[in-house]
Amino acid sequence: MVSALVLTVIALAAPASALASGIDMYRLYNRWTGEHFYTASASERDGLEAVGWRYEGVGWVAPASGDPVYRLYNPYVTGGDHHYTPSVAERDSLVAQGWRYEGVGWASGGGIEVLRQYNPYASTGTHNYTTSRAENDSLVLAGWRAEGVGWLAVGEGRLLPPEQPSNPQDPGSSQQPGSSQQPGDPQPSVVYWTSGGEVWHSTKDCPSLKRSTNIRSGSIEQARAAGKNRACRNCC
């Protein structure tokens, strides 16, 4: 698991090469905690990639100046968690609860809405931010709560295609090691998952779900939007 100390190394200044009209905000994903992380710093992006975070592309383009968006860090949950807000009241409330204030992450301004979603079933990675209405709606269908506009941007996000799982024993196959599914088999129309973990299941009767009390269901696309990036090796 990524050390929380890595996340407290802050490099919030925009790159010197950033255009005056906008600054790319890099988006990364921690598959161990489910957290999405956002930064304008290429060195911070590269440092997190080096310790196992997955780079997902540009989340949005921030203005070079505008209203501040504050960055905070919660050291009391497993793996740590970040939160971002333009609200002074929300910032101060979280600091009063023990969150660490890490300064201004970027600026808000422009005509593009960055939408905010909340996962009530998670203790880390509880919020997601995106300019994509499709991603927002997919997460809401998967059980997240739409929280409206987080802040404004001057450019849309440019996310990379999601990673596809592969079998190390057969680079051309999408079959997972230990999976009973064969290449070419039809994908299930409905899959199941929980807020924890990173897999989806083809059946509620999977042994891995035996102790789960909050099981979500939907399409594979919705499961991926909820952070489940591969099939369960026991039931798929």
Side-chain angles (χ1 to χ4, degrees):
M1 183 172 293
V2 177
S3 169
L5 293 176
V6 174
L7 300 181
T8 60
V9 179
I10 307 170
L12 298 180
S17 60
L19 298 175
S21 59
I23 299 166
D24 284 348
M25 295 301 307
Y26 306 118
R27 170 169 147 171
L28 299 103
Y29 177 68
N30 184 334
R31 64 183 182 274
W32 295 285
T33 66
E35 179 187 2
H36 278 105
F37 182 75
Y38 312 87
T39 179
S41 167
S43 62
E44 189 171 30
R45 174 201 65 194
D46 295 345
L48 290 176
E49 267 200 291
V51 295
W53 288 64
R54 184 170 71 232
Y55 175 57
E56 294 190 329
V58 174
W60 67 91
V61 182
S65 61
D67 297 327
V69 177
Y70 307 110
R71 170 171 149 175
L72 301 105
Y73 175 68
N74 183 355
Y76 301 108
V77 294
T78 303
D81 195 25
H82 280 85
H83 186 66
Y84 317 91
T85 178
S87 167
V88 172
E90 186 176 26
R91 177 200 67 188
D92 293 348
S93 176
L94 290 175
V95 170
Q97 296 173 45
W99 289 63
R100 297 175 186 168
Y101 175 53
E102 293 190 333
V104 175
W106 52 83
S108 169
I112 295 174
E113 296 176 339
V114 179
L115 304 173
R116 169 172 153 170
Q117 306 86 38
Y118 171 66
N119 185 347
Y121 308 107
S123 58
T124 61
T126 54
H127 284 86
N128 184 69
Y129 308 88
T130 179
T131 61
S132 168
R133 178 66 64 177
E135 183 179 19
N136 175 87
D137 294 348
S138 181
L139 288 175
V140 170
L141 284 173
W144 292 59
R145 297 175 185 167
E147 292 193 329
V149 178
W151 51 81
L152 298 174
V154 296
E156 298 276 359
R158 306 187 303 278
L159 297 181
L160 301 175
E163 287 187 351
Q164 298 298 319
S166 61
N167 186 340
Q169 299 175 352
D170 182 3
S173 169
S174 61
Q175 181 185 3
Q176 292 295 313
S179 170
S180 61
Q181 186 176 358
Q182 298 299 315
D185 285 354
Q187 294 287 335
S189 58
V190 177
V191 296
Y192 306 88
W193 66 90
T194 63
S195 58
E198 60 180 47
V199 303
W200 69 79
H201 307 263
S202 64
T203 173
K204 277 187 177 181
D205 297 326
C206 176
S208 300
L209 291 174
K210 187 174 182 180
R211 297 183 179 179
S212 301
T213 58
N214 184 18
I215 301 175
R216 313 294 302 180
S217 64
S219 66
I220 290 178
E221 290 73 20
Q222 289 169 345
R224 284 175 174 155
K228 317 307 166 186
N229 55 26
R230 63 180 176 85
C232 172
R233 297 174 183 176
N234 294 325
C235 65
C236 293

